[in-house]
Amino acid sequence: MTADIAGISGAQSAKPTWRRFLFMAAGAIFLLDLGTKALAVGTLEPGHPVPVLGSWLSCELTRNSGAAMSMAANRTVLLTIVVLSVAAAIAWIGVNVRSRWWALGLGIILGGAAGNLVDRFFRAPGPMRGHVVDFLAIGPMPVFNVADLAVLAGVVWLIALSLSGFPFNGTARSSGWHAGR
């Protein structure tokens, strides 16, 4: 009976969850994003790009009211609600993740979403309407930040896991090198 109370009965899967890893990955991305944005705001001036790798990579401070590539710039409140919902869903799903690789991908996305949510809630012009700080420019592409890069990398990672047959629950689908990981 004490095993049932402690939650270690046969009803629970013997495979451990990777939720701590997921939240550690999210925290690392979140802190990296906040730190780089603080550095950008403190050292860069809007309209004055600073070349890092010639014309290929530069730092250019901008404020983005929209989503990636400034899409839906007039829908900031809606974007905030959508990103908040996605972050909450990832956190809820991530509590039961049993694959370290899925935990990593979900954590990277969650950290990026959280980084941009902080801007949406705490930057001008006000709560849920705040403009996201962007500062990385690669060639002619729109300016972005670490959080944007993390979300994109996390989504690509999860797609690759899905296409490669890595199961979310950590059980082996095949006898390949990734079985049970």
Side-chain angles (χ1 to χ4, degrees):
M1 182 159 153
T2 56
D4 288 336
I5 293 171
I8 55 173
S9 68
Q12 292 286 334
S13 173
K15 191 144 180 76
T17 66
W18 287 88
R19 69 176 148 247
R20 182 176 295 162
F21 183 64
L22 181 150
F23 290 113
M24 287 173 48
I29 294 296
F30 177 74
L31 292 175
L32 180 63
D33 181 61
L34 289 184
T36 55
K37 285 176 181 174
L39 184 63
V41 168
T43 60
L44 298 173
E45 293 181 37
H48 294 84
V50 175
V52 176
L53 294 174
S55 62
W56 187 78
L57 174 66
S58 63
C59 290
E60 180 179 345
L61 184 63
T62 63
R63 309 291 175 132
N64 182 2
S65 63
M69 295 179 269
S70 297
M71 292 185 299
N74 58 346
R75 303 259 193 267
T76 307
V77 173
L78 178 63
L79 287 172
T80 303
I81 293 168
V82 168
V83 172
L84 189 58
S85 300
V86 168
I90 289 172
W92 183 71
I93 290 168
V95 168
N96 294 313
V97 67
R98 298 196 185 281
S99 163
R100 78 181 104 184
W101 303 114
W102 277 88
L104 178 63
L106 290 170
I108 290 170
I109 294 169
L110 181 59
N116 281 342
L117 277 173
V118 165
D119 285 359
R120 297 284 183 208
F121 278 99
F122 298 109
R123 293 202 187 269
M128 295 189 64
R129 296 176 296 120
H131 296 181
V132 172
V133 172
D134 288 333
F135 60 92
L136 295 170
I138 297 178
M141 291 177 37
V143 182
F144 60 97
N145 59 42
V146 171
D148 298 335
L149 186 60
V151 170
L152 177 62
V155 168
V156 169
W157 180 254
L158 295 183
I159 290 169
L161 289 177
S162 293
L163 295 175
S164 299
F166 275 86
F168 177 80
N169 65 2
T171 60
R173 265 184 59 176
S174 68
S175 59
W177 68 272
H178 66 310
R181 297 200 189 264

